[in-house]
Amino acid sequence: MNQVNRTQKTFALTTPLYYVNDLPHIGSAYTTMAADVEARFQRLLGRRVLLITGTDEHGQKIQRTAESKGRSPQSFSDEMSAGFVSLWQLLNIQYDRFIRTTAPRHEVLVKEFFQRVWEAGDIYQGQQKGWYCVSCEEFKEERELLEGHRCPLHPNKEVEWRDEQNYFFRLSKYQEKLQKLYHSQPDFIQPDSRRNEVLNFVNQGLQDFSISRVNVDWGFPVPVDPNHTLYVWFDALLGYITALLEPDEEPTLENALAKWWPINLHLIGKDILRFHAVYWPAMLMSAGLSLPERVFGHGFLTKDGQKMGKSLGNTLDPIGLVKRYGSDAVRYYFLKEIEFGKDGDFNESRFINVVNADLANDLGNLLNRTLNMVKKYCANNVPTTTNENIPIEHPLKAIGLRLGEQVKHAYEALAFNHACEAILLLVQASNKFIDEQAPWSLYKQGQIQAVEQVLYAVLESVRLAAYLLSPIIPDTSSDIYQQLGYGINFNQQIETATAAPFAIHSTWGVLTNQQKLGEARPVFKRIEPAKNN
Ligand code: MSP
């Protein structure tokens, strides 16, 4: 784990800047949900956080798509970009910056950056010959292609032969420096499988790559030669820097880098690893800038075990999903069921089962049955037992005391599934504890103190579970906290970090008898499968 992260007071992280050739798909939603969860966790720790997301709007892919729809690329980008903003709202994403690469201030910054690289002698003119995949916006090696000159990532599209004058970036010059970076900062690329992929690629020898295009108008002109358009990836990566500017700040590199640079974490999918883990650090080295701390490449999602795609007719619409099931359910499924870093699958029946089992049955029922018993047996007051009276070997307290630290490590390592599993163990242990202790019998036997101890332990465990799950299911956690009498809404991040700081609320034994419980109501309604499921 990265030592720097732990002591820092600020945390800047990014999602990729999404292409606007289409409305957002589940892949873009996936990275963004994970980024939001990590950002919320970092805010709970009391850090100042900057979550950057946005849209990547230049290049041939978008130009062509807009043309095919009889639209200007700008108005088409405006519409698509707005689609991302509204999906992020639906998914309860609390981003701090939304950068669009067509913003005029971005061009100013790109020029300044280009100038630095130009002055470093790292840009030259040459002849680019090769196979280009417009969908990837990337040249491909002949050996990478499928039969019939098709891109492995877009097998229904043929790559196009290019033979043109381009400007090149001298990537080869940075081979050794990059190798040193990967060795001195082993956490720079995660997870390990992705790191190995990059090491293999770089060890094979790096070739310079072209950073300009002719015959593409949709982009910024190359500052030293306006007959060329800047390659979309060169401009897109720099969007991460432009996003750091305050809203009304003058767009200079100095201003942009003053507060949040270097970025702590870039979250991306595995298909764009090379750009982030090889090209991007080399570009930054050339411009004399420090480097991001960590690049994490997650896996790809499939649906019912199949690759998703329009041509396959099996895309998964994130908007429909959230509208049907709510944002907490969608967030929970993708973060709990899929190991971040590995490929994962969406299947609607499994989705319904997981969400019902964990959120409606285990967590929701636990709260509900406990609050009902507290009402019945304790006049709706938090039981008077104090934490000190409960021994540390108590089955729930013993789990609860370790849980905060465990979950913190999981969130820091982006092991969201481990965080969920550990929390669920406490929830399940609590349900089992109630069944075993049977407070209803204890009550009948007049053992009021014992009843109070059981109910305190369970109520406190639900509270802890809700707190630790709040980055993932903020609405449900807020609901639980409110029923426990806290005026806390986990969607109001800054207030939460002050009113319920991680150092205190992530431990066990926080509830006191002073706490006035709120009205009990079901927190998570079971999803009833549709008839055709
Ligand atoms: N515009 C570039 C990124 C530039 S960043 C400076 C881009 N955009 S994208 O919209 O095509 O892809 C965005 C992200 O979605 C990538 O991280 C990609 O890995 C992810 N996904 C696309 N399909 C996916 C799945 N089926 N599953 C999971 N993630 C997927 O690339």
Side-chain angles (χ1 to χ4, degrees):
M1 190 32 40
N2 204 320
Q3 285 303 312
V4 193
N5 272 348
R6 296 233 178 121
T7 49
Q8 268 172 351
K9 293 233 160 17
T10 62
F11 194 86
L13 75 167
T14 67
T15 72
L17 307 182
Y18 302 105
Y19 284 132
V20 288
N21 58 309
D22 211 338
L23 286 170
H25 51 67
I26 197 70
S28 10
Y30 180 53
T31 328
T32 312
M33 289 188 280
D36 182 61
V37 169
E38 188 58 23
R40 284 173 182 265
F41 160 70
Q42 294 287 340
R43 289 193 200 103
L44 270 193
L45 293 182
R47 292 187 179 132
R48 285 190 304 131
V49 171
L50 194 79
L51 171 55
I52 295 168
T53 185
T55 42
D56 180 1
E57 306 186 355
H58 286 136
Q60 190 151 30
K61 167 153 82 169
I62 289 149
Q63 183 174 333
R64 278 192 188 166
T65 314
E67 270 164 15
S68 73
K69 297 185 188 289
R71 304 278 301 273
S72 79
Q74 187 65 65
S75 86
F76 182 66
S77 299
D78 291 346
E79 185 187 323
M80 293 295 124
S81 185
F84 284 85
V85 171
S86 59
L87 177 60
W88 297 169
Q89 250 157 20
L90 276 179
L91 278 170
N92 205 357
I93 307 295
Q94 296 192 322
Y95 58 84
D96 300 282
R97 299 284 156 79
F98 190 100
I99 167 80
R100 296 184 57 188
T101 57
T102 48
R105 64 199 325 229
H106 180 51
E107 183 169 10
V108 179
L109 237 98
V110 169
K111 269 193 192 153
E112 193 184 338
F113 188 93
F114 183 96
Q115 193 57 30
R116 285 208 189 189
V117 178
W118 179 259
E119 280 164 15
D122 286 340
I123 296 174
Y124 65 92
Q125 226 179 357
Q127 193 70 18
Q128 170 75 63
K129 285 187 190 174
W131 295 105
Y132 194 70
C133 171
V134 176
S135 296
C136 291
E137 293 281 14
E138 187 180 15
F139 278 101
K140 302 278 168 181
E141 298 289 331
E142 180 99 41
R143 62 182 149 83
E144 292 178 83
L145 299 175
L146 306 176
E147 224 180 290
H149 289 116
R150 288 170 187 279
C151 163
L153 295 178
H154 303 96
N156 53 340
K157 302 235 171 79
E158 272 185 37
V159 291
E160 299 171 20
W161 178 252
R162 298 282 155 83
D163 183 355
E164 57 186 44
Q165 275 272 304
N166 282 172
Y167 285 89
F168 281 77
F169 172 71
R170 228 179 272 284
L171 181 66
S172 54
K173 178 173 147 188
Y174 293 94
Q175 162 122 11
E176 247 178 64
K177 285 195 177 142
L178 287 169
Q179 282 164 325
K180 270 198 192 137
L181 161 72
Y182 307 142
H183 282 103
S184 64
Q185 241 176 277
D187 284 347
F188 180 70
I189 308 164
Q190 291 178 330
D192 276 352
S193 53
R194 301 274 125 74
R195 179 169 185 269
N196 292 336
E197 243 173 73
V198 171
L199 291 183
N200 286 339
F201 173 72
V202 174
N203 291 343
Q204 279 174 25
L206 289 176
Q207 286 177 9
D208 299 345
F209 69 95
S210 68
I211 56 164
S212 78
R213 298 287 181 269
V214 285
N215 307 322
V216 179
D217 312 325
W218 184 233
F220 296 137
V222 169
V224 295
D225 185 349
N227 293 323
H228 287 248
T229 299
L230 211 52
Y231 172 41
V232 56
W233 267 101
F234 192 88
D235 128 33
L237 288 162
L238 292 170
Y240 294 140
I241 297 185
T242 306
L244 300 174
L245 285 166
E246 297 295 324
D248 299 317
E249 209 169 19
E250 192 196 342
T252 65
L253 272 179
E254 196 188 346
N255 283 342
L257 300 169
K259 200 156 151 201
W260 295 97
W261 190 261
I263 283 165
N264 302 77
L265 174 65
H266 288 302
L267 288 180
I268 54 163
K270 62 181 181 181
D271 55 328
I272 53 175
L273 188 63
R274 244 177 237 182
F275 292 100
H276 285 81
V278 184
Y279 294 12
W280 179 224
M283 283 163 60
L284 292 166
M285 285 171 181
S286 168
L289 303 186
S290 56
L291 305 181
E293 254 172 42
R294 178 148 78 125
V295 175
F296 193 104
H298 66 68
F300 257 48
L301 302 175
T302 51
K303 187 171 171 226
D304 306 320
Q306 304 268 312
K307 193 174 174 241
M308 269 182 268
K310 275 202 175 150
S311 52
L312 295 164
N314 68 341
T315 50
L316 177 60
D317 168 28
I319 300 178
L321 206 59
V322 185
K323 289 199 167 153
R324 258 201 320 282
Y325 301 118
S327 63
D328 274 9
V330 175
R331 295 164 67 103
Y332 185 77
Y333 177 85
F334 284 103
L335 291 155
K336 150 90 193 306
E337 276 300 288
I338 296 164
E339 181 178 340
F340 201 61
K342 296 249 171 79
D343 291 348
D345 190 51
F346 177 88
N347 170 276
E348 193 142 349
S349 324
R350 209 172 69 243
F351 171 87
I352 294 175
N353 287 341
V354 166
V355 166
N356 278 346
D358 294 2
L359 300 184
N361 295 358
D362 287 353
L363 182 65
N365 278 351
L366 178 63
L367 175 75
N368 214 251
R369 67 198 290 219
T370 314
L371 282 180
N372 281 336
M373 286 190 273
V374 169
K375 199 169 176 183
K376 223 160 148 186
Y377 307 138
C378 313
N380 211 26
N381 291 317
V382 174
T384 42
T385 321
T386 59
N387 177 28
E388 293 82 63
N389 293 338
I390 301 178
I392 52 170
E393 323 73 69
H394 183 284
L396 301 186
K397 184 169 181 175
I399 303 177
L401 285 177
R402 287 193 314 264
L403 191 64
E405 219 20 51
Q406 217 180 329
V407 168
K408 182 172 178 226
H409 281 133
Y411 278 126
E412 273 171 342
L414 305 170
F416 306 112
N417 60 332
H418 289 163
C420 293
E421 280 156 17
I423 300 167
L424 253 278
L425 281 183
L426 175 65
V427 172
Q428 285 153 357
S430 302
N431 274 314
K432 189 162 160 255
F433 186 67
I434 299 186
D435 296 342
E436 284 168 1
Q437 299 293 315
W440 45 91
S441 314
L442 293 172
Y443 186 76
K444 273 193 199 139
Q445 293 156 21
Q447 298 193 45
I448 303 302
Q449 233 183 331
V451 171
E452 296 222 325
Q453 228 195 49
V454 172
L455 293 181
Y456 177 87
V458 176
L459 215 49
E460 171 58 10
S461 299
V462 190
R463 183 208 58 76
L464 178 60
Y467 186 81
L468 295 174
L469 281 173
S470 69
I472 300 177
I473 48 166
D475 292 345
T476 309
S477 293
S478 301
D479 220 354
I480 295 178
Y481 251 58
Q482 272 149 27
Q483 296 189 40
L484 294 177
Y486 290 98
I488 282 175
N489 176 352
F490 287 100
N491 290 311
Q492 321 237 287
Q493 293 276 298
I494 302 190
E495 290 84 339
T496 303
T498 319
F502 192 87
I504 296 174
H505 278 241
S506 70
T507 59
W508 200 90
V510 172
L511 267 178
T512 70
N513 186 241
Q514 315 301 311
Q515 195 69 18
K516 275 266 138 288
L517 296 176
E519 190 63 34
R521 54 181 191 276
V523 280
F524 202 94
K525 252 183 58 211
R526 262 185 82 77
I527 299 171
E528 293 310 330
K531 296 244 161 26
N532 57 359
N533 263 311

